[in-house]
C-alpha cells in the first residue's frame, strides 16, 4: 500500500465534513415523518451489511489505529492506549453491521404496501 495517495483521491477535512453534514441532513429529514419507502431507500446504503456505515466506520477506526502504530513520533505507551481505544470502538461499530436485518424486517412489513403501490397484488 502506498505511503501517500495522489491528491485527487486523498480525502480532505471538508470532504469528511460534507459526509457528516449529509448524515445530519438525513437525520433531520427522518424527523419530518417521511414516506417510509423513501426513508428505506435512503437507509439501505447506510446500513448495507458489507459497505454500510458501521463497517466503514469500523474499518476507518482500525486504519487510523494502524497509522498511529506506524508513526514513530507517537510515544509507544501512548500509542498502545490510543490504539486499544480505537480498536475497541471499531469492534463496537462493526458489531452494528447486523442492522441490515432491521431493514429486511421493514421490507417484509412494507412489502404488501409496496406491491400495491407498484400495481402488484
Amino acid at each position: 500500500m502506498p505511503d501517500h495517495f495522489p491528491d485527487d483521491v486523498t480525502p480532505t477535512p471538508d470532504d469528511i465534513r460534507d459526509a457528516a453534514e449529509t448524515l445530519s441532513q438525513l437525520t433531520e429529514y427522518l424527523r419530518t415523518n417521511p414516506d417510509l419507502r423513501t426513508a428505506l431507500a435512503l437507509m439501505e446504503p447506510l446500513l448495507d451489511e458489507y459497505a454500510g456505515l458501521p463497517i466503514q466506520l469500523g474499518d476507518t477506526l482500525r486504519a487510523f489505529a494502524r497509522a498511529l502504530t506506524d508513526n514513530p513520533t507517537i510515544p509507544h505507551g501512548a500509542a498502545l492506549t490510543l490504539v486499544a481505544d480505537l480498536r475497541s470502538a471499531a469492534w463496537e461499530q462493526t458489531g452494528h453491521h447486523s442492522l441490515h436485518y432491521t431493514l429486511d424486517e421493514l421490507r417484509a412489513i412494507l412489502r404488501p404496501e409496496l406491491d400495491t403501490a407498484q400495481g402488484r397484488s
Side-chain angles (χ1 to χ4, degrees), residues 69-84:
T69 61
D70 293 345
N71 189 313
T73 62
I74 305 290
H76 181 70
L80 290 176
T81 301
L82 295 170
V83 166

Side-chain angles (χ1 to χ4, degrees), residues 10 20 22 32 40 48 56 97 103 115:
T10 303
T22 298
T32 68
L40 177 62
D48 180 82
Q56 293 297 323
H97 80 281
L103 295 182
D115 289 344

Side-chain angles (χ1 to χ4, degrees), residues 28-107:
E28 290 303 314
Y29 172 74
L30 292 172
R31 290 180 177 148
T32 68
N33 195 21
D35 173 74
L36 283 181
R37 290 171 292 184
T38 303
L40 177 62
L42 292 170
M43 292 302 295
E44 285 176 330
L46 192 63
L47 296 180
D48 180 82
E49 68 182 303
Y50 300 109
L53 187 59
I55 298 299
Q56 293 297 323
L57 185 54
D59 287 349
T60 300
L61 291 169
R62 280 188 283 280
F64 187 48
R66 190 171 23 264
L68 289 176
T69 61
D70 293 345
N71 189 313
T73 62
I74 305 290
H76 181 70
L80 290 176
T81 301
L82 295 170
V83 166
D85 289 347
L86 289 167
R87 288 183 176 156
S88 175
W91 277 108
E92 288 179 35
Q93 293 304 313
T94 304
H96 294 292
H97 80 281
S98 63
L99 285 170
H100 74 277
Y101 292 122
T102 302
L103 295 182
D104 291 342
E105 291 174 23
L106 181 57
R107 276 187 215 93

